[in-house]
Amino acid sequence: MQVLLSKLKRRSLLKLLWLAPFAALYKYLTPKVKKENFISVPLAALPFKGAYLIKDKHTGIIKNNEGIKVFSISCTHLGCVLNVENDKFICPCHGSIFDLEGSVLKGPALKPLKHLEYKIENENIIVYI
C-alpha cells in the first residue's frame, strides 16, 4: 500500500479525493432493488385484458393492448390491499379508487400506485418486489 501511494502524484491523489463524495452520493441516490425478492408468473396465466393480482405479495399485473404494467396494490392511503372491479383498483378499507394506470380517481389516497420493476424472461414475467 505504501508503494502504491508513493507512486501517485499529489494531483492524482487530490482528483481521487475530490471524486469520492460524488461516488458516495451516487450510491445513496440510486434505487436499491433487491434482485433476490421476486415473483415469477407465466405469461400464459395473465388474462388478455385485465388484472392479475397476487394479493399475498401486494402485486398487480395489468395486461392490455399497450403492453404490461406492474403495480404495488397497497393503497397509498394506509396500505390496504386493493381489489379490482370494473377496470379500477378499489380500496376495501376507505374507498380510494385508482385507474389501471395507477392514478388516483377518488380519495382519501393522494399518491398514485407505485410501479414495480419487472422483466420478461423465458415466457415468464419476473416482478421485483
Side-chain angles (χ1 to χ4, degrees), residues 22-32:
F22 293 105
L25 184 63
Y26 174 78
K27 184 173 181 170
Y28 175 76
L29 293 177
T30 54
K32 293 159 187 66

Side-chain angles (χ1 to χ4, degrees), residues 12-40:
S12 298
L13 183 60
L14 289 174
K15 283 181 185 177
L16 286 174
L17 291 174
W18 183 80
L19 291 174
F22 293 105
L25 184 63
Y26 174 78
K27 184 173 181 170
Y28 175 76
L29 293 177
T30 54
K32 293 159 187 66
V33 177
K34 294 182 179 180
K35 300 294 183 187
E36 62 270 4
N37 294 334
F38 65 89
I39 305 166
S40 179

Side-chain angles (χ1 to χ4, degrees), residues 33 58-60 62 68-73 76 89 99-103 112-118 127-129:
V33 177
H58 296 230
T59 303
I62 307 297
I68 294 175
K69 294 178 181 132
V70 183
F71 299 100
S72 166
I73 57 169
T76 57
F89 290 112
D99 64 13
L100 294 183
E101 299 292 318
S103 300
L113 296 177
K114 179 182 171 190
H115 288 262
L116 299 177
E117 184 180 335
Y118 73 93
V127 180
Y128 298 101
I129 55 173

Side-chain angles (χ1 to χ4, degrees), residues 75-76 82-83 85-92 94-100 102-109 111-113:
C75 181
T76 57
L82 303 173
N83 297 318
E85 296 175 24
N86 302 325
D87 293 335
K88 292 179 178 70
F89 290 112
I90 299 176
C91 178
H94 303 104
S96 293
I97 299 175
F98 302 85
D99 64 13
L100 294 183
S103 300
V104 178
L105 298 176
K106 178 182 172 237
K111 296 179 185 176
L113 296 177

Side-chain angles (χ1 to χ4, degrees), residues 48-75:
F48 177 67
K49 284 186 175 181
Y52 182 88
L53 302 182
I54 308 162
K55 288 197 171 202
D56 63 326
K57 300 293 184 182
H58 296 230
T59 303
I61 303 171
I62 307 297
K63 183 178 173 187
N64 57 26
N65 293 336
E66 291 127 31
I68 294 175
K69 294 178 181 132
V70 183
F71 299 100
S72 166
I73 57 169
S74 295
C75 181

